[in-house]
Amino acid sequence: MRPRLPRTLLPTTTPSAIRLLRHNSRLFSHSAHRPSDFTHAVIGGGVVGLAVARELARKAGPSASTVLLERHGAVGTETSSRNSEVIHAGIYYGRDSLKTKLCLRGKDMLYALCADQNIPHRRCGKWIVAQNDVQLEALHRIHEFCESEIDVPVRWVGRDEAARREPAVRAEKGILESPTTGIIDSHSLMLCLLGHFEDAGGTLALGSVVEAVTPLGTPPGSDGWEIRVRDAESGETSTITADTLVNSAGLGAVAIHNMIVPEADKKQMFYAKGNYFAYTASSPKVNTLIYPAPEPGHGGLGTHLTLDLAGRIKFGPDVEWVDSPIDLGVNPARLVETITEVKRYLPSLDETQLMPDYAGIRPKLAKAGAVAHGKGFVDFVIRKEEGYRGWVNLLNIESPGLTSCLAIAEHVRMLFIRSASNDYYV
């Protein structure tokens, strides 16, 4: 399994949520009539929640306070640390989608942050390969979309260049290169965001399991939000209040949403498990990310070849629909299908050298396609919920959430600024 964030790199202590809040002199409110304990409460300490909390703590003004509630004993232990660690170019999701807009903005912001903060990353580029006419048509659509609608650089790779650069890669019909695609050390990114958040005075509450969320006042949320939190270590429950609420709970986001809304507005979460397999052989050697051409209706972008910053190869994720996010073990039964998919573009693969590596779960609102041309594409949901004050809801935050995290944070802050009922954000 993939290692979690090392405990030595977390804050000097990792006490329970309740002790941490008291250490920071935050009062617990047991009455809606008292001033709120915090200006902002962000639920979920994945990469997106960290980015949002950092943005609010740094930009909301000296009188504001922000608490980040994370149910685990460390940040980023779910989807954020169990993905491909790819910095996406933003080429799959349709011009007007939030996924495209925030991925394009987020990619630029992320590369700038990496350069400024020395976060390990590499702009290694990506090849999208076509083996038949249907896949080649998909590449032409991507090329046209990038050039005419979103102004993202892509280029065709000829056979001679392909043979020189990546001789082990098969592409019977064509290769489209995305030079702005890269890879990043997501753990280092999250530690950077956490450091900025705490430097700005933010309060991290680890081991804080949210059990209930209640909007106060009429209309709901106009007098703030009451959040009942259970300490994961002791089982003790306490209540905090905040002027605003950001639901960035990832795999738990729908559960948080359903705590608040009436029965008719409740949603269902679907879980797309992605299994990854490490490749331990030294040959064939590949230095570029390799993706199959996207196929309509698939829940992901195909089983692709990705690299870590040491140059090690892994394959994944596939798409395995599961009933819960609990089982994060690699399903060995997926190996046969992975071998079949990978050998389409890497025929010299030594299949005996594939080993289970790690698995991640993508939080989805539907069993839908991952690309805009696919069946039932579902965009990011990032909105102020109608009928409530001071609540920004983030649902369906899957890929390219890592790439988009800084832009999502900026977008959340702007949603608050545009609200006439929240003048203290301006």
Side-chain angles (χ1 to χ4, degrees):
M1 299 294 289
R2 200 154 184 243
R4 294 181 174 181
L5 286 166
R7 198 170 276 275
T8 54
L9 294 180
L10 291 168
T12 52
T13 59
T14 55
S16 69
I18 305 308
R19 292 198 302 273
L20 178 58
L21 289 169
R22 285 176 175 160
H23 175 73
N24 282 312
S25 300
R26 301 301 189 189
L27 298 176
F28 285 81
S29 174
H30 299 282
S31 167
H33 301 293
R34 293 179 57 181
S36 295
D37 301 316
F38 297 93
T39 311
H40 318 288
V42 179
I43 302 175
V47 68
V48 172
L50 283 164
V52 170
R54 166 186 178 265
E55 179 80 1
L56 295 177
R58 298 177 89 189
K59 301 288 181 64
S63 62
S65 57
T66 304
V67 62
L68 177 59
L69 302 171
E70 167 53 47
R71 61 183 173 180
H72 296 294
V75 298
T77 61
E78 293 184 352
T79 306
S80 297
S81 60
R82 295 176 174 272
N83 56 64
S84 300
E85 296 188 304
V86 170
I87 301 176
H88 288 284
I91 62 180
Y92 293 113
Y93 312 109
R95 182 188 63 187
D96 297 324
S97 70
L98 275 179
K99 284 191 174 185
T100 292
K101 293 175 181 177
L102 296 176
C103 186
L104 296 181
R105 170 70 173 152
K107 174 183 62 176
D108 292 341
M109 296 175 75
L110 194 54
Y111 276 129
L113 181 69
C114 287
D116 183 64
Q117 298 293 314
N118 296 315
I119 298 170
H121 70 290
R122 181 156 62 92
R123 204 177 300 217
C124 55
K126 173 175 77 175
W127 284 6
I128 313 172
V129 298
Q131 313 298 347
N132 54 50
D133 290 336
V134 173
Q135 290 186 334
L136 181 59
E137 183 181 347
L139 294 195
H140 280 290
R141 285 198 302 267
I142 293 171
H143 183 268
E144 173 64 21
F145 174 65
C146 290
E147 291 215 325
S148 65
E149 297 195 51
I150 61 172
D151 193 29
V152 170
V154 289
R155 59 181 292 271
W156 295 103
V157 177
R159 289 188 179 275
D160 291 345
E161 180 184 351
R164 183 178 70 254
R165 289 176 55 187
E166 300 290 0
V169 175
R170 173 196 286 165
E172 295 290 343
K173 290 294 184 176
I175 300 172
L176 190 65
E177 182 173 34
S178 168
T180 60
T181 300
I183 54 177
I184 185 171
D185 181 347
S186 62
H187 294 67
S188 295
L189 169 63
M190 288 188 282
L191 288 172
C192 174
L193 298 176
L194 175 58
H196 287 175
F197 169 66
E198 293 187 317
D199 287 347
T203 298
L204 172 65
L206 297 171
S208 299
V209 182
V210 174
E211 294 198 325
V213 180
T214 304
L216 305 175
T218 304
S222 58
D223 287 340
W225 294 81
E226 183 180 87
I227 306 166
R228 189 173 79 235
V229 177
R230 173 173 54 83
D231 187 308
E233 292 182 3
S234 68
E236 177 188 357
T237 61
S238 294
T239 300
I240 63 171
T241 56
D243 295 328
T244 71
L245 177 75
V246 179
N247 175 19
S248 183
L251 293 171
V254 165
I256 299 297
H257 169 90
N258 290 347
M259 291 178 186
I260 301 169
V261 300
E263 190 67 33
D265 295 332
K266 291 185 178 181
K267 297 182 180 295
Q268 181 180 359
M269 177 76 84
F270 296 89
Y271 304 103
K273 185 176 183 179
N275 297 277
Y276 290 83
F277 294 87
Y279 190 58
T280 58
S282 59
S283 177
K285 183 66 176 175
V286 181
N287 297 301
T288 308
L289 307 182
I290 308 296
Y291 280 54
E295 298 187 33
H298 282 206
L301 297 178
T303 300
H304 43 268
L305 181 157
T306 59
L307 306 165
D308 66 18
L309 290 163
R312 289 183 291 265
I313 291 174
K314 60 180 179 288
F315 297 103
D318 58 3
V319 177
E320 178 187 5
W321 295 105
V322 295
D323 294 329
S324 87
I326 301 301
D327 182 8
L328 289 172
V330 176
N331 183 354
R334 308 293 294 186
L335 178 59
V336 173
E337 183 179 344
T338 295
I339 291 170
T340 299
E341 293 295 318
V342 170
K343 280 199 165 183
R344 292 177 180 176
Y345 59 79
L346 200 66
S348 59
L349 174 80
D350 182 352
E351 59 191 68
T352 67
Q353 299 301 304
L354 280 174
M355 302 293 292
D357 196 1
Y358 62 95
I361 308 285
R362 283 157 280 185
K364 289 176 173 281
L365 289 177
K367 290 186 177 181
V371 298
H373 297 290
K375 180 181 178 181
F377 170 76
V378 180
D379 200 2
F380 287 158
V381 175
I382 305 172
R383 66 190 180 206
K384 289 180 67 66
E385 289 292 347
E386 186 176 353
Y388 298 86
R389 295 282 179 85
W391 174 22
V392 173
N393 212 8
L394 284 75
L395 306 174
N396 207 64
I397 308 299
E398 49 156 348
S399 182
L402 175 66
T403 306
S404 307
C405 67
L406 299 176
I408 291 173
E410 183 181 68
H411 185 66
V412 168
R413 183 172 64 87
M414 293 305 295
L415 286 175
F416 282 129
I417 287 175
R418 295 186 188 116
S419 173
S421 63
N422 289 289
D423 295 337
Y424 46 80
Y425 287 97
V426 181

